[in-house]
Amino acid sequence: MRAFYIAPFLIFAICGQSPVLAATVEPQAAVKLDPLAEIRETALKSGQAYALLESLTTDVGQRLAGSENDAKAVAWAKAKFTELGFDRVYTEPVRYPVWTRGEESLVSVSPATQKFSVAALGGSMGTGAKGVEAEVVQFDDYKNLESAAAGSAAGKIVFINYQMLRTRDGSDYGAAVISRVAGASAAAKLGARALIIRSIGTDQTRNPHTGVMRYDNTPTRIPAAAIGNIDADLLAAMIKRGKPVTLKLQLGARTLKGDYVGANVIGEITGAVKPKEIVAIGGHLDSWDLGTGAIDDGAGVAITMSAAALIGAQATPPKRTIRVVLFANEEQGVYGGKAYAAARVKADEVGQQVIAAESDFGAGRIYSLKTNLSDARLAGLAPLLRALAPLDITLGANDAGGSADFGPMREAGAPVADLQQDGTKYFDIHHTARDTLDQVDAEDLKQNVAAYAVFARFFADE
Amino acid sequence: MRAFYIAPFLIFAICGQSPVLAATVEPQAAVKLDPLAEIRETALKSGQAYALLESLTTDVGQRLAGSENDAKAVAWAKAKFTELGFDRVYTEPVRYPVWTRGEESLVSVSPATQKFSVAALGGSMGTGAKGVEAEVVQFDDYKNLESAAAGSAAGKIVFINYQMLRTRDGSDYGAAVISRVAGASAAAKLGARALIIRSIGTDQTRNPHTGVMRYDNTPTRIPAAAIGNIDADLLAAMIKRGKPVTLKLQLGARTLKGDYVGANVIGEITGAVKPKEIVAIGGHLDSWDLGTGAIDDGAGVAITMSAAALIGAQATPPKRTIRVVLFANEEQGVYGGKAYAAARVKADEVGQQVIAAESDFGAGRIYSLKTNLSDARLAGLAPLLRALAPLDITLGANDAGGSADFGPMREAGAPVADLQQDGTKYFDIHHTARDTLDQVDAEDLKQNVAAYAVFARFFADE
């Protein structure tokens, strides 16, 4: 048989005619694919999402909520939705405070003079121009801090040294992130003057991981910042040598007066049969400021915009409307997600949401579909699962959360799903300066687009 | 045979007696080793060099020439030499100018607002408080810059985008580093207002690589800085999109008025037979300021201090004196190396130097010994090569340079050698914030100590 094999492209090249001729050699190429298989194969060949991500990270860059680049990103998203042929492109207002970073530094002044990599936590107050200079006291984790004796950090800088564990699903994030979110108030209760945490991250680098923190109702508020894992090792080594270690922290961080009005940016591919019924997908348009927000969450923006655009370009239109929601300010308090749900509740439109899924866990391959559907709808998932199988995606538990931004819709009673991405390496670069385009594998991104396209197309036609 | 095998440690455990019994099973354990094999085996088991390196990087940290930490490092070295039992510990003055970094930043102001990682090159002037804001013009390499038409960078910021290649012996460093050393004056000749280079480094990170630059006699001097490789990719991508890219560079760098008087720190194990004949080994005590100078050149300091100390602890003393020289300010112009040679020339002691080798290429394993010896001495190397063979070190060419700091001694006529280290990953972290203790493999460090100890012991007894 070998002598008779002629590659399809050679037939085309030799004959100069339609590649339909190739079907006589490889008959399966002529089989008409159903819309799910068709969109999967189209997506796996498309560089559209990568081009969108390259544009967002190159032409806009970081998108800290309320910054100039936040407004640029909104304009970028509207223009791209329009370019991509979405039927309806609109924004909905989202109100939030504006936090800014400013200059920052952390040094040890004794017994050795060392410079540490440092980043203020989002929402932290600053130290004032003089900074905070004090001896450091180390706690192994948040629990030890919370249960420490009153006054045990009086006048000191608290250092929480918890090392986050690496997992595929990011399941240690909850245990780790409490130091970042609640550490400052817990340290303030003990009389501390500032908080330093080992970064909530799995990397072995000097990059600090920023991320949001909150002050509870503890009367005293203190500044809070993260240092990179290697820097945390150095600080711990200095402390271990036994002499008191004095640090000087300077943070120029502050929250501006008054709120900013940003926007959720929405693009729709209108359904041909039931246009008022909505399949919602999306990501968040804002990012932290240290990198260019490529994996958090430029990837989610690009994946879902492209998945919907490719469906919009199919010959057969979807029956229901596919809506891509690019949320404002997820990072500092899910402001966009809350505003989106509040607007749907107010307009009594929660029931129109057939399903929703947000892509916000990087750009790793999707391995599982989690749902929160009725038994009746679960029973009908077979065609979806068959279409996802070639992407190595299997059915997971029926306990989906809807990610951060569709969480409020889930709480309002709407069905949601989670297309779970492999997050093994996600927390190496999450919220750091290394969240840049080069971290994204173009082939993995295609798999994500294919999964979202199949998912959205299935529920649009279900 | 299997049933009769008894591991030596089991015999010891069972009998509760001297492990000499084990010799009946493994007779070679009782063979008396010659001094070369003995020092090699001792060094391979010793954690002394790692402990020295940990102390230098933790208790002192970065050692920028002329900084407070430079003086702390000199005190550290004298104390450690004394602790380690060196017979003579002394310093020799070295005079050099003091360069300081200051605050620095680089952003694009149009068409997109991006922040770049940046580090001033050592010796660069600052930009003044207002900074330099100008359109960027890209050159592929130094050669293209040097041969560009007059005025082709007038009023602009020059960006040299040469990507250094990865090799084991660092052989692309020469081709790459010309951009850093000579780029500013070449750009100034074309009317440029500042120079930005892609870092001279093989990593894919955002870490800028600093390093020394020089102004030639071009009347105009301009500030010069490096950006990380990922940032260089971003800048190149922005430029490629076709719209003019405007950058704003701010460097607080400056050279202080007047010279600083630092020191070469020297420790000696006195020879028992010919104490005036010297086997010299060493590294440089200064470092750049971004990391803690672990691989450049804390490793060289620790390796050579430990190698000599272990020889000093042997039962049979070396015939000639083993001298460890920890050089001042190698990074900014081989000031320590030049002062050391000048002092030897002045005292007519060049002829006393039997051989010299500096460890200054990181902490990777040594794979080759290069020499510059007479044929007669080369003919006698067999015992040395036999002792190095178990360390996987072979004889290289007879064209050794003596590394930077013993280069001036070689020029004065003294024999030198190079114990060549594997530098495959050296330029990933060279002169960056990532030059920290965690980059050093403790086992590889032992191999280096063993090689230097064997080398020094051989030439001490030759």
Side-chain angles (χ1 to χ4, degrees), chain B residues 325-384:
Chain B
V325 188
L326 305 182
F327 295 96
N329 199 352
E330 183 273 344
E331 292 294 1
Q332 299 178 42
V334 197
Y335 290 95
K338 289 172 186 164
Y340 178 80
R344 303 295 96 45
V345 169
K346 194 177 171 190
D348 197 20
E349 289 177 3
V350 173
Q352 295 179 4
Q353 184 174 291
V354 172
I355 194 121
E358 182 182 21
S359 170
D360 183 23
F361 200 54
R365 291 174 69 86
I366 296 169
Y367 63 93
S368 173
L369 167 68
K370 289 173 79 172
T371 54
N372 75 343
L373 296 172
S374 66
D375 287 351
R377 287 183 75 191
L378 275 176
L381 290 188
L384 172 60

Side-chain angles (χ1 to χ4, degrees), chain A residues 49 52-53 56-57 63 282-284 292-306 359-364 421 426 435 440 445 448-449 452:
Chain A
L52 285 167
L53 183 56
L56 182 60
T57 53
R63 303 170 298 283
H284 64 84
T292 60
I295 67 149
D296 190 11
D297 182 29
V301 167
I303 289 162
T304 56
M305 286 179 97
S306 182
S359 170
D360 183 23
F361 200 54
Q421 292 169 293
Y426 183 65
D435 182 358
V440 175
L445 200 69
N448 275 266
V449 177
Y452 269 89

